[in-house]
Amino acid sequence: MERFLKKHRWELIYAVFLTSFTIYLGLDTFVLKKVYATVEKQTSTETDSKIAETEESSAEATVSDSTYKDENIEVAISHMREYDTSIYVADVILSSPEYLQTALAQNVYGRNVTEKTSEIAESAGAILAINGDYYGAQESGYVIRNGVLYRDTVREGQQDLVIYENGTFGIISEEDVTAEELLANNAKEVLSFGPALVADGEVAVTEEDEVGKAMASNPRTAIGIIDELHYVFVVSDGRTEESEGLSLLEMAEFMKGLGVTTAYNLDGGGSSTLYFNGEIINQPTTDGKSIRERSVSDIVYIGY
């Protein structure tokens, strides 16, 4: 044995090093939490004003299990069945683009920093929320949130959704425009997942399009714009006997049927979650066996 160890010591040392490095890479990618920036907190005056506005609007709001309406925000939730799939649609009409917002898990920008969609939504005081693009699972791709640039590294072939300060939507390729140029053009949010589902009122994907190596039928999350300050948040269930799930093309066709001019695919699978008035509306699942939320990096939400 001693002779064997002496003869193969360098091979053994290399094997131990390689194994340790592989374990480290796995932990670094999926486990180790890294905080790069804290979301700038509002001043006490801004916070007090926001709280007062929220309380005043909530007091005057008309609320049911599927609707919310005050002088600035109107939300109506509907449940549909298409493609042997449960699909939840939140129709949203706003008086101002300021009520369409994003929030980051634990209020920080970082890697492997996550919370459940409902937890982020509750912290943000959201009326309605869906999971975002899970930026923390990627090392590249633009990240702009609430007008702040957090990541400007280009991901080749990446289509992004740009939400401008006036509430309009745009689809861009990261190779065609820099993050700094987007900010200069009044980009408020840039979501980097995709692809675009509907562009200029037409379906923008085909049967061959899919996200990575994902299965054709999946839980999905998408956001679309119908008209000025009129949006739809859409989540489909999947991977269960009760709900098969949607392909990208099926989601695109469904979104077009809602009358959107632009629609964009957000993170799906186990991440797909629709939150409304303190409740999870859909049935989020990763493996189809258990119904539970996955922790994510960020959300898109409606609120004050």
Side-chain angles (χ1 to χ4, degrees):
M1 185 65 177
E2 184 177 351
R3 182 179 299 176
F4 174 84
L5 292 175
K6 286 183 178 180
K7 182 178 180 181
H8 298 282
R9 65 181 181 276
W10 292 113
E11 291 92 336
L12 292 171
I13 290 172
Y14 177 75
V16 170
F17 170 79
L18 186 61
T19 300
S20 300
F21 184 68
T22 302
I23 292 172
Y24 168 77
L25 284 180
L27 291 172
D28 184 58
T29 302
F30 301 109
V31 178
L32 297 179
K33 175 180 172 180
K34 296 182 179 179
V35 174
Y36 301 131
T38 301
V39 176
E40 185 175 338
K41 294 183 179 180
Q42 296 175 309
T43 64
S44 58
T45 301
E46 291 173 328
T47 302
D48 291 344
S49 176
K50 185 173 182 179
I51 291 172
E53 185 176 6
T54 301
E55 291 176 345
E56 181 179 352
S57 298
S58 298
E60 298 175 352
T62 302
V63 183
S64 73
D65 289 342
S66 59
T67 62
Y68 175 98
K69 185 176 182 179
D70 65 28
E71 62 180 357
N72 298 308
I73 297 171
E74 185 173 346
V75 178
I77 307 287
S78 57
H79 176 209
M80 304 181 186
R81 287 286 299 182
E82 291 196 24
Y83 307 106
D84 198 27
T85 297
S86 290
I87 308 173
Y88 303 86
V89 179
D91 189 272
V92 179
I93 299 175
L94 306 177
S95 67
S96 168
E98 67 184 295
Y99 306 122
L100 173 58
Q101 305 182 63
T102 61
L104 304 181
Q106 300 182 36
N107 213 39
V108 299
Y109 167 71
R111 188 172 181 181
N112 297 321
V113 180
T114 61
E115 286 184 292
K116 295 176 181 177
T117 293
S118 60
E119 293 171 340
I120 308 173
E122 288 167 5
S123 295
I127 296 165
L128 172 75
I130 51 176
N131 59 287
D133 64 6
Y134 211 151
Y135 76 84
Q138 305 292 339
E139 294 185 354
S140 60
Y142 296 162
V143 179
I144 295 177
R145 296 293 189 275
N146 295 311
V148 177
L149 174 59
Y150 292 103
R151 188 168 67 199
D152 61 1
T153 50
V154 174
R155 192 188 316 162
E156 191 173 334
Q158 176 62 40
Q159 279 187 329
D160 291 350
L161 172 67
V162 183
I163 303 176
Y164 294 96
E165 289 182 359
N166 63 3
T168 58
F169 282 11
I171 302 294
I172 61 96
S173 170
E174 293 188 359
E175 295 166 290
D176 294 338
V177 59
T178 67
E180 289 78 8
E181 288 171 335
L182 290 172
L183 277 179
N185 290 327
N186 299 317
K188 180 184 175 187
E189 321 285 352
V190 174
L191 298 164
S192 181
F193 196 87
L197 299 171
V198 177
D200 298 321
E202 298 298 327
V203 170
V205 294
T206 68
E207 288 184 350
E208 286 71 40
D209 289 315
E210 202 36 88
V211 179
K213 297 181 180 179
M215 297 178 293
S217 295
N218 270 301
R220 303 277 181 187
T221 300
I223 186 171
I225 185 169
I226 294 176
D227 204 346
E228 184 178 2
L229 300 179
H230 186 183
Y231 309 95
V232 284
F233 289 26
V234 178
V235 170
S236 70
D237 287 337
R239 300 177 181 171
T240 67
E241 293 181 359
E242 294 77 19
S243 186
E244 180 177 342
L246 301 178
S247 68
L248 280 176
L249 179 59
E250 288 168 343
M251 177 60 97
E253 290 174 338
F254 180 82
M255 296 294 284
K256 182 182 177 182
L258 295 177
V260 302
T261 56
T262 302
Y264 188 77
N265 183 59
L266 294 169
D267 185 26
S271 299
S272 289
T273 306
L274 178 64
Y275 169 98
F276 177 64
N277 272 343
E279 302 290 338
I280 301 301
I281 302 301
N282 70 311
Q283 301 289 304
T285 182
T286 297
D287 56 14
K289 299 176 182 177
S290 58
I291 304 302
R292 60 183 180 184
E293 288 183 78
R294 173 192 287 171
S295 292
V296 297
S297 298
D298 59 303
I299 65 169
V300 182
Y301 76 97
I302 301 296
Y304 288 94

